[in-house]
Amino acid sequence: MSTTQALIQVLKTELKAAGWTYAALARELGLAESSVKRMFARGDMPLARIDAICEVLKTDFTELSRRVAAAQPERHELTLEQERAVVADRKLLLMAVCCQSQWTLEQVVAHYRLSETEGIALLAQLDRLGIIELRPHNRYRLKLAKAFRWRPHGPVMAFFREQVVGDFFGGGFDGEGELLTLVHGQIRPALVASYNDRLQRLAQDFAQQHLADQKLPPDQKQACTLLIGLRSWLFGAFRELRRSGV
């Protein structure tokens, strides 16, 4: 659904919720009912008319825009084709990860060896892939849900397993603020979902803190990566020693 279509749909929803019929709205706007119906059907509505409808609804365009953004469906997962396109170009993958972190184009260009022209082209590619909605002045709206994740066995996670996991775990995790903990145990199946929810909340808290600290100067923040994993698993060498039937 385009932004214009979404705007019209939100207006229809708000009018219906407020009990406004096309006939009543037409009288308030000084138009024929047929003109109002045609305006909504075609989605051909000048800004002055939208402002007038906002006055009828006792709202403003800013609030309307928020409702339009909230009504846009968000992706929880990409298709295989979309992931293949992202991972095929390392710079595009970098820009996708930066957009996930809500970095501005200026921040990306300042941190990485990308020109502004390259950055804009990469944003345009992500827009075509449906990952962001590119807006004026190279701003964008991320179209990924908070619970978004790369496909567990998809191209992006395959790349991270092959190229990133070894690099990440190669460190000693002995620096200031670093932590690596491995805990194995047996728990009731019903508790697994509970632990998953808590881990997801931790990941969301980390992401929200990143957004809150974005405006801090560089010397007051540091790059961190939080990696969380929980699965039904036993180390292969241990599995070989396990008694049958246990």
Side-chain angles (χ1 to χ4, degrees):
M1 182 184 293
S2 69
T3 302
T4 301
Q5 289 174 316
L7 176 62
I8 297 300
Q9 188 57 51
V10 167
L11 282 173
K12 287 181 178 179
T13 300
E14 293 298 309
L15 287 167
K16 183 177 181 180
W20 283 90
T21 64
Y22 283 154
L25 180 63
R27 287 193 298 272
E28 190 70 21
L29 297 177
L31 298 171
E33 182 180 354
S34 59
S35 297
V36 171
K37 288 181 177 179
R38 185 165 53 251
M39 186 170 59
F40 276 94
R42 294 178 177 176
D44 185 9
M45 197 177 298
L47 288 175
R49 191 72 70 203
I50 294 175
D51 284 338
I53 296 174
C54 284
E55 286 185 21
V56 170
L57 291 169
K58 294 181 171 55
T59 186
D60 56 34
F61 191 77
T62 300
E63 179 60 27
L64 197 65
S65 298
R66 290 196 193 100
R67 293 182 182 275
V68 170
Q72 295 293 311
E74 296 180 322
R75 296 179 180 276
H76 288 78
E77 192 175 79
L78 300 183
T79 65
L80 281 172
E81 291 72 20
Q82 288 170 320
E83 284 206 6
R84 289 190 185 110
V86 169
V87 82
D89 184 338
R90 296 296 178 264
K91 290 183 178 180
L92 186 61
L93 178 59
L94 168 64
M95 184 62 81
V97 171
C98 287
C99 285
Q100 269 190 284
S101 298
Q102 302 281 5
W103 279 29
T104 64
L105 174 63
E106 292 79 10
Q107 287 175 309
V108 176
V109 171
H111 280 78
Y112 297 102
R113 291 195 300 273
L114 292 175
S115 68
E116 182 177 353
T117 301
E118 284 181 302
I120 294 171
L122 293 170
L123 288 176
Q125 283 183 264
L126 294 179
D127 177 81
R128 289 193 293 273
L129 287 169
I131 295 173
I132 64 170
E133 178 188 324
L134 192 55
R135 293 178 171 177
H137 308 297
N138 302 316
R139 298 299 183 248
Y140 63 86
R141 180 181 73 85
L142 186 64
K143 298 174 72 173
L144 305 180
K146 288 182 179 179
F148 170 85
R149 69 171 188 168
W150 301 106
R151 300 174 73 92
H153 300 286
V156 174
M157 287 306 298
F159 167 77
F160 277 99
R161 289 188 184 97
E162 294 168 5
Q163 306 290 334
V164 179
V165 171
D167 187 29
F168 182 79
F169 284 107
F173 290 85
D174 52 358
E176 183 179 354
E178 295 185 351
L179 172 69
L180 176 63
T181 301
L182 175 64
V183 181
H184 174 72
Q186 294 183 326
I187 61 175
R188 299 194 305 273
L191 289 178
V192 174
S194 173
Y195 276 103
N196 267 316
D197 288 341
R198 289 159 66 179
L199 292 174
Q200 287 177 2
R201 286 198 298 272
L202 175 62
Q204 289 173 3
D205 286 346
F206 183 88
Q208 289 298 323
Q209 192 60 53
H210 158 76
L211 294 177
D213 289 352
Q214 269 193 317
K215 294 182 180 180
L216 291 175
D219 62 346
Q220 293 184 26
K221 54 188 177 181
Q222 66 185 70
C224 296
T225 297
L226 176 67
L227 179 63
I228 298 175
L230 174 68
R231 60 177 292 208
S232 178
W233 175 81
L234 183 64
F235 181 45
F238 297 166
R239 287 199 301 271
E240 295 174 0
L241 297 173
R242 188 166 57 183
R243 295 181 185 280
S244 60
V246 175

